[in-house]
Every structure is written in structure tokens, then in C-alpha cells.
Amino acid sequence: MNQDQFLQLLSQSGFPEPVEVLQPPNGHLDNHTHPFAVRALVVDGYIEIESQNGLNQYCVGDVFELAFEQPHSETYGPLGVKYLASRKQ
């Protein structure tokens, strides 16, 4: 998916404008939750997310979603990751 398609998807789904998020090379966040739902588009590098749905890797052009307060952990690739994230309360 490209950035224009992602922005259209957000608009159709009632998600607000996204913010750019940069995470460091080979970084990791242990199990945690967010007080919002997330829909994000990877624009550089990759992210691995482990949740009750298993371990999934998201690369450039992939969209990932996390539900409100969904427990998960995150691992970032050797170049880190940059993604556009929209957060919905």
C-alpha cells in the first residue's frame, strides 16, 4: 500500500491524520499496551509484532493494526523502522 492509499483508508475508517514514528535499529519493547487503537503503514525498515495472534513481520508497504489495549511486544530491524501511525481513542 502506498501513502495516499493509506491516508484514504484512514479517512474511510474514521482514523485521524497519522504521525511519523521512528524506532531505533535492533530496538525492542517488551510486552505492553496502548490506550488507543493503532493503524500504521511501514515506510522504511521493518517491525515485528508479537501478540496473541502470533509473531508477524511488517515491511515497507505493509499496514499493521493493534486494538485498544491489545498486549504486544515490538522488535525493530537492523535499520530500525519508520511508520505512519494513526491513533483512535
Side-chain angles (χ1 to χ4, degrees):
M1 178 174 290
N2 67 38
Q3 193 168 334
D4 289 337
Q5 292 167 325
F6 180 65
L7 294 173
Q8 184 177 20
L9 174 67
L10 292 179
S11 178
Q12 292 169 348
S13 305
F15 276 79
E17 288 291 313
V19 296
E20 184 178 273
V21 177
L22 296 170
Q23 297 291 7
N26 299 312
H28 178 79
L29 285 175
D30 288 329
N31 205 41
H32 65 284
T33 64
H34 301 287
F36 45 77
V38 175
R39 184 171 287 168
L41 171 70
V42 178
V43 295
D44 195 25
Y46 72 83
I47 182 173
E48 292 179 341
I49 298 176
E50 187 167 9
S51 69
Q52 76 274 13
N53 300 327
L55 178 64
N56 293 289
Q57 184 179 89
Y58 301 94
C59 301
V60 175
D62 291 339
V63 173
F64 65 87
E65 297 184 40
L66 294 166
F68 175 82
E69 295 190 351
Q70 179 179 354
H72 66 285
S73 62
E74 304 173 15
T75 302
Y76 317 118
L79 301 176
V81 66
K82 178 169 62 171
Y83 55 89
L84 300 176
S86 179
R87 300 168 178 162
K88 188 175 181 181
Q89 298 294 333

